[in-house]
């Protein structure tokens, strides 16, 4: 009997993400950010969005606060992020882009646009836009289902 496991969407998306991450890594070669870890890149992108705290980023990524703290420390050492006080909260700090981080985020946006253009060149612009919209729909719907499913 065939004992192989069907290649499911999780495997396909994992392979897709690995290929895209390799492309991003190649774009950073020769820059001061060449050795930035993949997870640090995710934390950096999160910092560009909402002004999360370390605890909030940990919840979003389902990792420990310590892992996020270590990542933030590495990004602060690169002068990409900074911690900002939250009025009325002595413990938590918002993670925000520094001046250098703002400049780096513009480069990141250029890299994202370049990789997305490469993807569109492979499957066509219209197909890529459809792919992107469908990914957003699936992601949003699955997150809502997880939130509404009672915990055992």
């Amino acid at each position: 009997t065939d004992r192989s496991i069907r290649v499911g969407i999780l495997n396909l998306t994992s392979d897709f993400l690995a290929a895209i991450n390799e492309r991003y890594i190649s774009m950073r070669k020769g820059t001061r950010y060449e050795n930035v870890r993949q997870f640090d890149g995710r934390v950096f992108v999160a910092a560009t969005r909402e002004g999360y705290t370390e605890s909030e980023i940990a919840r979003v990524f389902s990792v420990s606060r310590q892992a996020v703290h270590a990542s933030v420390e590495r990004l602060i050492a690169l002068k990409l992020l900074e911690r900002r006080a939250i009025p009325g909260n002595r413990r938590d700090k918002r993670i925000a882009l520094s001046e250098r981080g703002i400049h780096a985020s513009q480069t990141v946006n250029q890299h994202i646009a370049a990789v997305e253009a490469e993807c569109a060149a492979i499957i066509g612009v219209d197909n890529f836009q459809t792919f992107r919209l469908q990914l957003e729909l699936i992601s949003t719907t699955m997150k809502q289902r997880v939130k509404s499913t009672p915990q055992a």
Side-chain angles (χ1 to χ4, degrees), residues 69-88:
H69 179 77
S71 176
V72 168
E73 286 296 320
R74 288 188 294 271
L75 293 167
I76 287 173
L78 290 169
K79 298 183 176 21
L80 294 172
L81 297 183
E82 56 192 29
R83 290 185 178 94
R84 295 192 182 148
I86 300 171

Side-chain angles (χ1 to χ4, degrees), residues 5-57:
I5 296 176
R6 180 176 176 264
V7 176
I9 195 165
L10 182 61
N11 300 94
L12 293 171
T13 54
S14 293
D15 290 349
F16 177 65
L17 288 174
I20 287 179
N21 281 322
E22 286 300 316
R23 187 65 186 105
Y24 288 138
I25 289 167
S26 74
M27 294 173 122
R28 290 195 313 261
K29 290 247 192 267
T31 73
R32 73 173 65 156
Y33 308 117
E34 181 173 9
N35 296 315
V36 169
R37 298 174 186 193
Q38 181 178 339
F39 182 69
D40 294 352
R42 292 178 64 203
V43 170
F44 178 79
V45 170
T48 68
R49 293 186 179 170
E50 304 284 331
Y52 288 117
T53 64
E54 290 178 7
S55 297
E56 290 167 333
I57 293 171

Side-chain angles (χ1 to χ4, degrees), residues 21-149:
N21 281 322
E22 286 300 316
R23 187 65 186 105
Y24 288 138
I25 289 167
S26 74
M27 294 173 122
R28 290 195 313 261
K29 290 247 192 267
T31 73
R32 73 173 65 156
Y33 308 117
E34 181 173 9
N35 296 315
V36 169
R37 298 174 186 193
Q38 181 178 339
F39 182 69
D40 294 352
R42 292 178 64 203
V43 170
F44 178 79
V45 170
T48 68
R49 293 186 179 170
E50 304 284 331
Y52 288 117
T53 64
E54 290 178 7
S55 297
E56 290 167 333
I57 293 171
R59 273 193 297 279
V60 167
F61 293 149
S62 299
V63 298
S64 71
R65 186 184 175 289
Q66 293 81 1
V68 173
H69 179 77
S71 176
V72 168
E73 286 296 320
R74 288 188 294 271
L75 293 167
I76 287 173
L78 290 169
K79 298 183 176 21
L80 294 172
L81 297 183
E82 56 192 29
R83 290 185 178 94
R84 295 192 182 148
I86 300 171
N89 186 332
R90 296 164 96 177
R91 192 183 83 115
D92 291 322
K93 305 276 188 262
R94 293 269 176 230
I95 306 304
L97 296 180
S98 64
E99 282 298 316
R100 183 183 280 179
I102 291 168
H103 183 309
S105 72
Q106 294 166 350
T107 302
V108 169
N109 282 331
Q110 291 169 356
H111 288 178
I112 290 169
V115 170
E116 289 187 1
E118 289 178 34
C119 292
I122 294 167
I123 64 173
V125 173
D126 290 343
N127 286 337
F128 181 73
Q129 290 305 322
T130 300
F131 173 68
R132 188 180 168 87
L133 289 170
Q134 300 221 348
L135 279 176
E136 288 175 11
L137 175 63
I138 291 168
S139 177
T140 302
T141 304
M142 295 301 280
K143 285 178 186 175
Q144 289 170 349
R145 286 182 180 173
V146 168
K147 285 181 183 177
S148 67
T149 303

